[in-house]
Amino acid sequence: MSEAVWNVAEIKAPATADGIVSGAVWFTLHGVDFPATGWTDLPLSVLGSAVTAYGAIHGGELEAFSYIFDGPYFMYYRRIDASEPTVYIEANCDRDEDRVVCLSTGEIPLEELRSTLLRAVETLHAEIVAKPYAGDSIQIAAKLIATLSGTGAASRRNAQEA
C-alpha cells in the first residue's frame, strides 16, 4: 500500500450555475487520515492547493504549504534530497493561536506525491465532467491533470528551469 494517498469521495456537482463542487477530500499519510476520514470540503480547492505546493517543491523550492479550506488545517512540505527527491510532510492544525499541533508526519518520494494527486484529480474530474453547471470546475481539474501529467505549460516551464 502507498504511504500517502489523496482521497476524494461523494462528489456533488453544482445544481445551479452559481454552485460549486463539494464532497469528501482527505489525505492519508502513513495510515493517518487528515483532517479526518471522509472530510467534507471543496475538493477542487484542496487539491488545487496541494498541486500548487507539489509544483513549488518539484520546481526546486525547499518548502511549500497547502491548505484545507474548512477548518484550521494545513500541510507543510519540505524537500529533503535533490538527487532522489523526497518530501517531508507535516499535517497540522493551528486552531490554538499560540501553537501548531502536528497530527501526522512522514517522508515520501516526490513522485508518489505527484501520482496520488493525479489519481485524486482524475477521479474528481471523472465525477463532474458530464455534469451541467460544472464547466469552470471541469476546466480547472483538466489543467491540474495536465500539470501533474507533465503536459501543462507550468509543468513544461518547471522542467525547463530544473
Side-chain angles (χ1 to χ4, degrees):
M1 183 177 144
S2 182
E3 297 295 327
V5 178
W6 273 101
N7 306 276
V8 293
E10 302 172 15
I11 303 303
K12 296 175 183 85
T16 63
D18 61 348
I20 57 172
V21 174
S22 62
V25 59
W26 70 99
F27 185 65
T28 303
L29 181 60
H30 299 297
V32 177
D33 290 337
F34 175 77
T37 306
W39 182 262
T40 302
D41 211 312
L42 305 174
L44 191 56
S45 296
V46 172
L47 293 172
S49 181
V51 170
T52 299
Y54 162 80
I57 295 294
H58 178 264
E61 294 292 324
L62 296 179
E63 300 178 311
F65 293 88
S66 71
Y67 301 91
I68 308 297
F69 288 88
D70 188 14
Y73 302 102
F74 69 97
M75 295 172 61
Y76 166 75
Y77 308 79
R78 186 178 72 238
R79 188 179 186 116
I80 295 175
D81 186 352
S83 62
E84 291 185 36
T86 302
V87 182
Y88 167 80
I89 300 175
E90 287 181 4
N92 298 298
C93 177
D94 62 356
R95 179 174 286 126
D96 182 347
E97 293 179 18
D98 295 329
R99 65 186 177 102
V100 172
V101 176
C102 184
L103 304 174
S104 180
T105 65
E107 295 177 7
I108 62 167
L110 183 60
E111 173 56 24
E112 185 175 343
L113 178 59
R114 186 202 66 78
S115 64
T116 190
L117 277 166
L118 179 58
R119 282 190 302 274
V121 176
E122 287 174 336
T123 300
L124 175 62
H125 185 264
E127 289 288 323
I128 63 173
V129 71
K131 305 290 185 188
Y133 309 120
D136 289 345
S137 295
I138 294 167
Q139 291 175 356
I140 293 167
K143 286 179 184 177
L144 294 175
I145 290 169
T147 297
L148 292 166
S149 298
T151 58
S155 239
R156 286 191 301 273
R157 189 171 43 252
N158 286 341
Q160 291 170 349
E161 293 171 358

